[in-house]
Amino acid sequence: MAKIIGGVTTSHIPAIANAMANGLEETPYWKPFFDGYPPVRDWLNEQKPDVIILFYNDHGLEFFIDKKPTFAMGVADEYYNSDEGWGIPTIPPVTGESELSWHIANSLVEDGFDMTICQEMKVDHGLTVPLNLMWPGHNYGHVKVIPVCINCEQHPMPQPKRTLALGQAIGRAVESFDDDLKVVVFGTGGMSHQLDGERAGFINRAFDIECLDKLVSDPESLTKYSNYDLVELGGAQAVELNMLIAMRGALLGEVTELHRNYHAPISNTGSGLMLLENK
Ligand code: DHB
Ligand code: FE
């Protein structure tokens, strides 16, 4: 049987890719951020997951605001990144896992989640930056990745109670897959951030830390928030917290927190790195 062994929350901002490409990890600005990552990299290299299910939001590369699936997932064998205008160098493709992807897609639709199913899909920084953080030098080709996109750009957006339920439905789907696969789930993005408008640069550390605590011990309590609450408490782009909530849903039961590094601000965001082991 396939088994979800753990979950990871991580920032996905494009500035990370530029910092890595330019060797800035040890500079005073970046060090407190990058210092959090070695324990998570070590755990992944020890556990050697076969598959990463990765929740992210497409920021306009594949789905622009004229066509915006609420929930989309890839079922391809390979995913390409392309130029998003951030100056990130061209990077190698990401390996897919079509068999488990199709199993999850079928199971989700049966379960009431009518996904947009993508046999071809370009993936943006929300997916590639976290993979590069975990396997620097873009050395992630050996890991199979299933991209799951949650709309966080264009209202109306799915609410935390729905994204937690999506994660749970994916967790059940994985558990009903016959092959012995080790799966880790990533939730990328967040935490508090506002990129534009009067409150640009707004960060709410206390709220971010409360969210990280609740993701560990009481994820259901996060479903009391609407997306407007998230915007008020964490800034306009704090809706990206939905990816972290979906990740936690997929872990289904109790978890053990193995590692955490909260640092803010990094660019315009609060960065919450957390490694959870599924009990
Ligand atoms: C930034 C944050 C994001 O979530 C993103 O997708 C792009 C940029 C930032 O703070 O720079
Ligand atoms: Fe983002």
Side-chain angles (χ1 to χ4, degrees), residues 11-16 57-59 84 86 124-126 153 188-195 203 237 240 243 266-270:
S11 170
H12 66 213
I13 61 173
I16 298 166
N57 54 312
D58 180 284
H59 299 73
E84 297 178 59
W86 297 99
D124 77 5
H125 64 269
E153 292 77 40
T188 87
M191 300 189 71
S192 58
H193 66 306
Q194 171 129 4
L195 300 182
I203 300 280
Q237 279 76 40
E240 286 190 357
M243 263 84 62
I266 202 77
S267 189
N268 274 325
T269 69

Side-chain angles (χ1 to χ4, degrees), residues 3-16:
K3 195 169 165 10
I4 297 183
I5 60 168
V8 173
T9 64
T10 174
S11 170
H12 66 213
I13 61 173
I16 298 166

